[in-house]
């Protein structure tokens, strides 16, 4: 028997489609005493894991010169929202090499697919306005 027959993970609908290399801003529920607040963790997705339990993704950031990595389960109710800030252009599934890079070498190029798609309709509108004049 397989565990998947008994347990179906409930994916968090607040998590969009992300991939390794993306710069994301994760909003978490933080409990401090009896108060609850939203705490943000912004960094680069260096690892995605898929599995029977729903999987997880790891986000890395550098804070005061020290690398901090945090793993977030896809089905966690404490993850309030995930905002994708940039789509990085990478050729690997696991970006562990980012751990030994610093400063400018740790930057990733941006994948420009969406930027090109968004710019194309604007250019077509401008061309139509020029031809109608």
């Amino acid at each position: 028997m397989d565990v998947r027959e008994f347990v179906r993970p409930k994916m968090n609908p607040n998590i969009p489609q992300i991939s390794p290399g993306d710069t994301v801003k994760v909003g978490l529920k933080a409990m401090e005493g009896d108060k609850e607040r939203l705490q943000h963790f912004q960094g680069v997705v260096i690892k995605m894991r898929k599995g029977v339990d729903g999987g997880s993704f790891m986000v890395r950031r550098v804070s005061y010169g020290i690398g901090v990595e945090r793993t977030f389960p896809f089905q966690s109710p404490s993850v309030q929202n995930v905002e994708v800030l940039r789509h990085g252009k990478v050729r690997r599934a696991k970006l562990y090499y980012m751990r030994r890079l610093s400063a400018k070498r740790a930057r990733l190029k941006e994948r420009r697919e969406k930027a090109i798609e968004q710019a194309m309709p604007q250019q077509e509108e401008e061309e139509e306005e020029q031809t109608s004049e």
Side-chain angles (χ1 to χ4, degrees), residues 5-123:
E5 295 175 14
F6 299 110
V7 180
R8 296 238 185 253
K10 297 178 185 173
M11 301 308 271
N12 191 336
N14 299 329
I15 301 177
Q17 183 69 32
I18 58 176
S19 60
D22 290 353
T23 302
V24 295
K25 187 175 187 180
V26 182
L28 295 164
K29 275 195 283 190
M31 293 291 293
E32 293 176 349
D34 57 345
K35 295 181 182 177
E36 187 175 299
R37 68 181 181 89
L38 198 62
Q39 182 178 15
H40 294 287
F41 189 87
Q42 181 175 333
V44 177
V45 177
I46 63 167
K47 175 175 117 175
M48 303 238 345
R49 188 184 68 78
K50 296 177 182 170
V52 178
D53 61 348
S56 62
F57 61 100
M58 184 182 288
V59 179
R60 177 181 173 79
R61 70 183 273 179
V62 177
S63 180
Y64 297 103
I66 297 173
V68 179
E69 295 178 359
R70 191 158 179 190
T71 304
F72 302 101
F74 278 116
Q75 61 181 17
S76 174
S78 64
V79 176
Q80 288 293 29
N81 62 346
V82 176
E83 180 182 349
V84 179
L85 304 175
R86 293 181 61 193
H87 293 284
K89 184 178 178 183
V90 294
R91 296 173 64 172
R92 307 210 181 289
K94 308 283 194 268
L95 306 179
Y96 297 138
Y97 67 91
M98 298 287 287
R99 293 174 177 164
R100 63 178 180 266
L101 301 179
S102 63
K104 197 169 185 179
R105 289 184 175 184
R107 295 184 192 160
L108 296 173
K109 290 185 178 181
E110 189 167 1
R111 211 172 41 203
R112 299 198 37 150
E113 297 167 3
K114 290 189 177 184
I116 292 171
E117 290 175 9
Q118 291 172 356
M120 291 300 284
Q122 293 173 356
Q123 291 175 354

